[in-house]
Amino acid sequence: MMESPVKETKQGIIIRGIAGFYFVDADGSVYRSKARGLFRKKGRTPLVGDRVTIEIQNDGDAWITAIAPRRNAFVRPPIANVELFVLVLAARKPDPLPLIADRFLVMAEAKNAEAVIVINKEDLAGSAEIASLADIYRPVYPVFVLSATEGRGLDDLRSALRSKTAALAGPSGVGKSTILNALTGRAIAETGETSERLGRGKQTTRASELYAIGDGIHLFDTPGFTSFSATMAAGPVDEIEAMEAELDERELAYCFPEFAPYLGKCRFDDCLHRTEPDCAVRRALEEGGIARSRYESYRTILEELRTLKRY
Ligand SMILES: Nc1nc2c(ncn2[C@@H]2O[C@H](COP(=O)(O)OP(=O)(O)O)[C@@H](O)[C@H]2O)c(=O)[nH]1
Ligand SMILES: [Mg+2]
Ligand SMILES: [Zn+2]
């Protein structure tokens, strides 16, 4: 790309990156842009989701001249500025595991993002079964019950996403791609069914993109955010693991928003809410102010953090 005279400067958002080019949406037009060598020298690679300043040249191409400070950034998938995570669980197939959900929620909190919970595949389970899962989370996060294949509940979810930049997260097979396609109205993501038909594995890796889907909503098309193990693999395998490696054991309780009213009220200032006497968090648990499965997840993740730290 040759330098040509600068025509104008605009603010935009990177929606796609391919082979050194960044596609920047600014005022509804998309500009093919390159980053100034300056960024790479400083080790600052632009990411999909970055808010940037571009200088548009006479030939229509543009240079990225500044990257706005990020709310958060992720390595796998490589994206920035997730405002809200849509954590997707299935009512069945696969059966929901609260610990897996809670790991994602801890990541969202640790990364300064909001979260909502979707219980998808509502058509496969009874209402009592769905309610017992929803009840764990309703006091803490908005919960949406959906059947993506039958088109139920999508409008409410869409309303919750208004004006947000959001990413879908959750275990494989819960319906993230189906929901993304339903929300965008386009067959953007390969669902389990299409990848089976094409004889491809589920681990098809592909660059992330950011889609504007109306109502000010931007949705990341993230094939990542599916892993859930902090300690099973030898090295960091995904964002959750990397996050857990960084998170201090003292910070974990702050990643459970419903613990907040009790923090600082335990007998010991350094209480980790395990077996210490006069623990306000455990008292809230006994009195029903904290859901047992959430507390159990806290304890499990806490032990993992302590194990990680020992190495
Ligand atoms: N019964 C039912 N199946 C669904 C629903 N949503 C998705 N599926 C199916 O679940 C499978 C996995 O969906 P997919 O979107 O690929 O999940 P992902 O791995 O989270 O992206 C596919 O066969 C979908 O057709 C739903 O609401 N109800
Ligand atoms: Mg998928
Ligand atoms: Zn305590």
Side-chain angles (χ1 to χ4, degrees), residues 134-150:
D135 287 348
I136 299 172
Y137 295 102
R138 278 231 163 87
V140 195
Y141 297 101
V143 176
F144 298 91
V145 177
L146 252 73
S147 172
T149 46
E150 299 188 8

Side-chain angles (χ1 to χ4, degrees), residues 3-302:
E3 297 237 16
S4 73
V6 175
K7 204 170 75 181
E8 75 189 297
T9 297
K10 283 191 177 182
Q11 311 296 318
I13 178 167
I14 299 178
I15 59 170
R16 190 157 28 114
I18 300 170
F21 285 106
Y22 300 94
F23 291 81
V24 176
D25 183 337
D27 302 333
S29 299
V30 177
Y31 298 90
R32 192 177 74 157
S33 312
K34 286 206 101 170
R36 291 234 185 261
L38 186 69
F39 292 125
R40 260 163 291 142
K41 243 185 275 161
K42 288 184 182 162
R44 289 194 68 198
T45 307
L47 294 173
V48 172
D50 265 327
R51 266 63 177 174
V52 294
T53 304
I54 52 171
E55 280 179 0
I56 301 155
Q57 303 175 195
N58 277 329
D59 61 7
D61 278 345
W63 289 98
I64 295 171
T65 55
I67 303 175
R70 293 168 178 155
R71 177 183 184 126
N72 51 35
F74 301 83
V75 180
R76 249 168 296 205
I79 59 174
N81 296 321
V82 178
E83 266 185 284
L84 182 143
F85 277 102
V86 178
L87 168 58
V88 184
L89 305 171
R92 280 194 186 168
K93 290 190 175 182
D95 285 344
L97 296 173
L99 177 61
I100 294 176
D102 294 330
R103 285 191 212 284
F104 280 109
L105 294 167
V106 166
M107 176 189 71
E109 297 291 337
K111 289 289 195 171
N112 185 31
E114 297 170 45
V116 301
I117 291 168
V118 162
I119 302 174
N120 188 36
K121 308 200 188 186
E122 157 265 300
D123 54 295
L124 298 183
S127 54
E129 203 177 326
I130 290 170
S132 73
L133 180 63
D135 287 348
I136 299 172
Y137 295 102
R138 278 231 163 87
V140 195
Y141 297 101
V143 176
F144 298 91
V145 177
L146 252 73
S147 172
T149 46
E150 299 188 8
R152 280 198 297 277
L154 283 160
D155 289 344
D156 288 345
L157 175 61
R158 202 186 163 87
S159 307
L161 298 181
R162 193 174 282 273
S163 303
K164 302 274 183 193
T165 300
L168 296 162
S172 189
V174 294
K176 296 181 298 298
S177 298
T178 308
I179 293 168
L180 185 76
N181 290 347
L183 286 173
T184 56
R186 294 156 60 183
I188 288 169
E190 252 179 41
T191 62
E193 280 168 355
T194 49
S195 54
E196 265 164 47
R197 208 181 321 129
L198 296 171
R200 258 186 253 170
K202 295 234 162 113
Q203 262 63 34
T204 323
T205 44
R206 164 175 62 69
S208 298
E209 292 193 34
L210 187 58
Y211 291 91
I213 63 164
D215 299 328
I217 304 169
H218 283 91
L219 263 190
F220 286 102
D221 163 21
T222 49
F225 295 126
T226 57
S227 297
F228 52 85
S229 166
T231 49
M232 266 161 46
V237 294
D238 72 354
E239 216 34 71
I240 292 183
E241 191 164 322
M243 177 279 302
E244 289 199 353
E246 280 169 29
L247 197 66
D248 186 83
E249 60 184 22
R250 306 253 147 242
E251 295 167 335
L252 183 64
Y254 294 91
C255 295
F256 286 76
E258 71 270 48
F259 291 12
Y262 314 106
L263 300 181
K265 296 189 174 153
C266 304
R267 185 199 297 183
F268 299 112
D269 286 344
D270 61 353
C271 189
L272 284 173
H273 326 298
R274 300 158 81 212
T275 54
E276 299 90 336
D278 256 338
C279 168
V281 169
R282 284 217 329 281
R283 198 177 314 124
L285 171 71
E286 296 314 327
E287 290 169 359
I290 290 174
R292 185 156 297 273
S293 87
R294 292 275 292 166
Y295 176 75
E296 283 169 1
S297 292
Y298 167 78
R299 288 292 301 271
T300 303
I301 298 169
L302 182 70

